[in-house]
Amino acid sequence: MTQLQVIARYTVSAGQEDAVGALVPELAKAARTEPGNVSFDVYRSFDDPRSLVLLERYVSREAFAEHRETEHFKRLVLDGIVPLLDERTVELYDVTA
């Protein structure tokens, strides 16, 4: 079975850094408890505190789809974080090695 690597890039709206900064660790902690999650790490840019990268790994595409249906994803990401962003991109990669 092929794992899935997710790279989510967030550009936080000016003045919302603390609000997003409070939600992202809660998201990472909750995601790490999901049975299909392999890893979930968050990085803030050294040069731009408004720029975050979330590196997520799931056992399968189905596990990622299940992640997106969780209560914590809907509450923390869709209702909490996304409204506080200027930009959000999500890249999906099959893990081949």
Side-chain angles (χ1 to χ4, degrees):
M1 181 182 299
T2 302
Q3 291 187 349
L4 182 72
Q5 178 68 48
V6 179
I7 302 173
R9 300 175 192 276
Y10 293 173
T11 303
V12 179
S13 299
Q16 299 300 326
E17 298 88 350
D18 289 343
V20 172
L23 295 172
V24 170
E26 186 178 348
L27 170 64
K29 182 178 178 180
R32 289 179 188 130
T33 68
E34 296 171 29
N37 181 266
V38 176
S39 64
F40 195 112
D41 297 303
V42 179
Y43 301 94
R44 185 178 302 271
S45 171
F46 183 77
D47 296 325
D48 182 0
R50 293 178 48 222
S51 179
L52 299 173
V53 174
L54 286 63
L55 300 180
E56 309 169 42
R57 174 94 42 115
Y58 296 89
V59 297
S60 65
R61 291 179 183 193
E62 293 78 17
F64 178 62
E66 291 170 7
H67 162 70
R68 298 186 104 187
E69 293 299 321
T70 63
E71 178 277 332
H72 57 262
F73 178 84
K74 292 175 183 177
R75 177 176 52 84
L76 295 168
V77 176
L78 300 182
D79 295 339
I81 296 170
V82 169
L84 305 176
L85 301 179
D86 285 343
E87 186 176 352
R88 174 180 176 238
T89 60
V90 179
E91 304 169 26
L92 307 176
Y93 298 90
D94 286 328
V95 178
T96 58

